[in-house]
Amino acid sequence: MTTALQPPLPSHPLLRLRLAPHGVMPRPIDGAWWPRSYDLLVELPRLLAGLPRAWGHVNSVTVNGAAWSEVPGRMLVSNQVVRLRRNLTASAPHTVVLLAPGRGRWDLLVVPPDTAEEAAEPLMAGAAGDLGGAASHG
């Protein structure tokens, strides 16, 4: 029997995720996610696979905003069912909410996929709380 070595899949680019440090103070945003597209069926499995194990199994995801592709009621991710919802309220148009029973809720800022790296980096850093005292200009 021979075993062929599998080269890394080019369809699995680096996850662009930055999380705020775990602390005792509640935060309105727990980090930032910069997906490569608004195709939730492609992007969500990558996001969930890259989350800290301590977060447990996220079984409910709410995306905010109308830009996302069609959102089915649920999808299978790593042999686990994840419920999906879309929220169109104006209060948090660019966020995703992740729920894990018994573990918690995490709200992530979603940086639009077509954002230039120069613009995305300060957004990611600000959401993760690691600005290092640098002033941000908008």
Side-chain angles (χ1 to χ4, degrees), residues 24-137:
V24 292
M25 302 236 341
R27 300 175 47 93
I29 290 290
D30 298 297
W33 174 41
W34 184 17
R36 296 181 188 281
S37 74
Y38 279 115
D39 185 345
L40 198 60
L41 298 179
V42 170
E43 299 295 337
L44 187 61
R46 291 181 188 157
L47 172 62
L48 296 182
L51 295 175
R53 289 184 188 262
W55 287 20
H57 168 63
V58 171
N59 75 348
S60 179
V61 175
T62 302
V63 294
N64 292 310
W68 291 99
S69 63
E70 188 64 31
V71 177
R74 64 180 91 98
M75 69 184 285
L76 196 61
V77 178
S78 299
N79 292 324
Q80 303 267 350
V81 175
V82 177
R83 292 178 50 195
L84 304 175
R85 295 185 180 104
R86 180 191 311 261
N87 187 346
L88 299 176
T89 63
S91 63
H94 299 290
T95 58
V96 62
V97 177
L98 310 171
L99 297 174
R103 299 291 180 107
R105 168 189 168 145
W106 297 274
D107 292 41
L108 301 177
L109 172 72
V110 176
V111 177
D114 58 352
T115 304
E117 187 170 351
E118 302 80 39
E121 188 54 39
L123 293 171
M124 301 276 291
D130 57 342
L131 288 175
S136 62
H137 301 286

